[in-house]
Amino acid sequence: MSGRTPGEQVTIADVARHAGVAASTVSYVLSGKRTISATTRSRVLASVRALGYHPHAGARALASRKANVIALVLPLRTGMQVPVVMRFATAVVTTARRHDHDVLLVTADEGPAGLHRIAGSALVDGVLLMDVELEDSRVPLLRELALPGVLIGHPADSTGLACVDLDFRRAGELCVEHLAAAGHRRVALLGAPAAVYDRGTGFAHRTRAGVRAAAGRLGVDAVTRPCEEGPAAVRHDLEALLADHPDVTGLVVQNESAVGPVLATLPLLGRRVPRDVSVVAICPDELAEQSGLTCVPVPAEEVGRQAVALLMRRLNGEPVPEVTLLEPHLTVRDTSGGTGR
């Protein structure tokens, strides 16, 4: 008889007293960190069974150094397209489960301090970072930590990291190449909200760089502007763009929330799609398909799957490439064609 009150939790100290050994010996038997004699081990395990002792999940994780949990650091910031972001998150969660891992979602925008807190908690085996900036303040710390990590996106300097993303620079180039091939000589990029550019978010800057590079190479005039969220803001930005550049006949949109308002506003401004203005977007293919929109799809599911796969390889001590870029593809639909001017 243990003499314990029914429902009272059995502790490692109780097991030690019952087996007549030190608490550290019980810990070593359960964790396997040290060799214990067969006789002592049998006595400890018999006491564990007799008392009904169950190690705390956190203690088991600490003992094995494996929590079977990964963290997804997804800071919710101004200008983020939450529906798109959640596609990435869903892919991460479902893929992690196939690898017998759960996902801890961290949405606070804490920068390096948040990453340091996660690493020091011993709650996760590795970390995935999203909304990566060109000069991301989290990167230097990630290089120093023993915690394996993968970035969804890539900074200006990816040395010593593991990054995966769509090749957004090439995506911007593809959009301009398509419009140029259809005869458009003046194109514009309506991009992410200004806050996204201001904080140096990689995908937005790389797309803009791709648009400008392809335009320069093909002899196309290109203007680029941020586009704020909400139908009224989108209409304002589109009206301002066309007032300043009335000869624009090709439009690239990289702002999921702006796609619908852009297509609705252009006819109200006397611009028929695609006869007067061709529209190409960089967005989830499901959204584009609903609108008959020519687009470069953002493969959120595939990026999420590859990010988890890379992290699992890192957890197993396998080498991984510093940067994995998915090749973009353009799907032509009803909103693009030759210029009518």
Side-chain angles (χ1 to χ4, degrees):
M1 295 289 294
S2 66
R4 300 189 63 81
T5 302
E8 189 175 350
Q9 186 174 359
V10 178
T11 68
I12 201 167
D14 297 324
V15 175
R17 281 193 295 271
H18 189 276
V21 299
S24 59
T25 301
V26 177
S27 179
Y28 294 144
V29 168
L30 296 175
S31 68
K33 286 186 176 181
R34 290 190 183 181
T35 302
I36 303 296
S37 71
T39 301
T40 302
R41 176 180 172 80
S42 297
R43 190 161 73 248
V44 168
L45 293 178
S47 295
V48 166
R49 289 190 293 270
L51 298 178
Y53 173 67
H54 299 285
H56 186 272
R60 289 198 303 271
L62 287 172
S64 67
R65 303 298 299 171
K66 187 170 175 62
N68 280 81
V69 177
I70 60 175
L72 175 61
V73 181
L74 173 54
L76 297 181
R77 297 166 168 166
T78 302
M80 291 184 70
Q81 300 296 309
V82 174
V84 176
V85 167
M86 292 313 297
R87 291 174 184 265
F88 286 96
T90 300
V92 166
V93 170
T94 54
T95 307
R97 283 309 314 150
R98 296 191 192 107
H99 291 274
D100 197 30
H101 278 69
D102 291 313
V103 177
L104 173 66
L105 182 61
V106 181
T107 59
D109 188 5
E110 299 176 303
L115 186 56
H116 203 282
R117 176 174 58 82
I118 294 166
S121 70
L123 292 175
V124 301
D125 301 324
V127 60
L128 298 173
L129 300 184
M130 288 191 65
D131 203 40
V132 177
E133 300 165 6
L134 293 175
E135 303 296 335
D136 201 300
S137 62
R138 299 169 296 180
V139 166
L141 179 60
L142 185 62
R143 288 193 177 103
E144 296 173 4
L145 292 173
L147 185 70
V150 171
L151 287 75
I152 297 178
H154 58 110
D157 180 9
S158 58
T159 304
L161 303 173
C163 311
V164 60
D165 207 357
L166 177 69
D167 188 343
F168 278 101
R169 180 184 174 94
R170 181 64 190 135
E173 292 176 347
L174 273 179
C175 293
V176 175
E177 289 169 1
H178 172 69
L179 292 171
H184 297 274
R185 311 316 300 167
R186 183 72 163 175
V187 303
L189 168 67
L190 272 181
V196 176
Y197 292 100
D198 290 345
R199 62 175 174 260
T201 306
F203 78 86
H205 281 269
R206 288 193 169 90
T207 301
R208 187 169 66 181
V211 166
R212 290 172 172 171
R217 171 166 45 85
L218 298 170
V220 174
D221 291 330
V223 294
T224 62
R225 291 196 175 188
C227 183
E228 301 307 316
E229 297 177 285
V234 172
R235 175 163 183 157
H236 175 271
D237 290 338
L238 186 56
E239 287 178 337
L241 169 67
L242 294 177
D244 292 342
H245 306 282
D247 54 347
V248 163
T249 62
L251 196 58
V252 180
V253 181
Q254 189 184 30
N255 185 328
E256 181 185 359
S257 67
V259 168
V262 164
L263 293 176
T265 300
L266 283 170
L268 300 178
L269 300 178
R271 307 295 182 101
R272 293 162 295 181
V273 179
R275 182 171 177 178
D276 300 319
V277 178
S278 286
V279 181
V280 181
I282 302 173
C283 68
D285 197 48
E286 293 84 350
L287 173 65
E289 191 172 20
Q290 293 169 7
S291 306
L293 181 65
T294 296
C295 83
V296 174
V298 177
E301 292 80 6
E302 181 61 22
V303 171
R305 284 193 293 267
Q306 292 213 23
V308 174
L310 285 168
L311 184 55
M312 293 301 128
R313 288 171 60 186
R314 296 203 84 175
L315 291 175
N316 292 329
E318 301 173 23
V320 298
E322 290 183 345
V323 178
T324 300
L325 292 180
L326 276 61
E327 181 70 22
H329 303 280
L330 186 138
T331 301
V332 179
R333 295 194 177 95
D334 301 333
T335 60
S336 64
T339 176
R341 299 190 172 199

